[in-house]
Amino acid sequence: MKISTRGKYALRFMFYMAEHGKDGFIALKDVSDYENISLKYLEQIAALLSKAGLLVSVRGPQGGYKLAKSPDRYTALDIIRVTEGDLSPVAETAGDGEKESDRIINEVLWKGLKTAVDDFLGSVTLEDLVNRSKTMEDFVYMI
């Protein structure tokens, strides 16, 4: 399993929105400039996230995007699933010709790995990431 650039950029985009979006809508250009992500690519990601209900958008001069919910209600898994789909490490194989060894390996190893990844990503919220960022900034200022 490998998270694509689109998945990583979606996380960076949503992190930015959680950090800076408290005062209303944010223009994609601002996110693009700050995160150094192509505006065209960011538009595609924003469309996916909006369609999934993670973002709210408004058109026009005062428009832009904002989170549909508070940052504590988004997990990394919610965001990554929009861009990556299922995070299974291997393709499921089942059928009449399935070997006993395949069934056992699938049940124990691959499903266990998927559960561990899903559980971890599902336990980290945008709010956790923003709080960690603030803690790191405070640490840097103390040095």
Side-chain angles (χ1 to χ4, degrees):
M1 164 192 48
K2 186 175 181 180
I3 305 298
S4 70
T5 302
R6 185 177 1 188
K8 291 188 266 185
Y9 285 0
L11 279 169
R12 285 174 47 194
F13 177 28
M14 294 294 282
F15 178 83
Y16 182 93
M17 298 302 289
E19 240 185 352
H20 302 282
K22 296 167 188 68
D23 299 327
F25 291 90
I26 296 176
L28 279 184
K29 175 105 174 77
D30 295 342
V31 181
S32 172
D33 291 346
Y34 187 86
E35 291 293 336
N36 196 27
I37 300 171
S38 155
L39 184 57
K40 286 273 190 206
Y41 200 31
L42 200 55
E43 287 169 349
Q44 295 172 13
I45 294 168
L48 287 172
L49 295 169
S50 294
K51 185 176 180 184
L54 277 62
L55 292 174
V56 175
S57 65
V58 171
R59 292 179 179 246
Q62 301 302 317
Y65 291 85
K66 72 176 185 175
L67 297 178
K69 306 178 278 190
S70 63
D72 65 321
R73 299 202 41 222
Y74 292 93
T75 67
L77 183 62
D78 297 332
I79 298 161
I80 290 173
R81 274 205 176 132
V82 171
T83 59
E84 306 299 319
D86 183 36
L87 296 176
S88 293
V90 296
E92 296 272 338
T93 57
D96 295 336
E98 183 180 37
K99 302 252 185 238
E100 180 69 9
S101 58
D102 282 337
R103 189 183 64 72
I104 292 169
I105 290 169
N106 283 337
E107 286 295 319
V108 175
L109 191 63
W110 303 132
K111 286 185 180 179
L113 179 59
K114 180 186 181 333
T115 298
V117 169
D118 286 354
D119 287 350
F120 176 71
L121 292 175
S123 73
V124 179
T125 67
L126 280 179
E127 183 174 67
D128 294 335
L129 296 173
V130 169
N131 289 340
R132 178 66 185 257
S133 171
K134 290 177 183 173
T135 303
M136 291 176 80
E137 287 173 9
D138 292 344
F139 177 74
V140 170
Y141 289 129
M142 289 174 28
I143 296 177

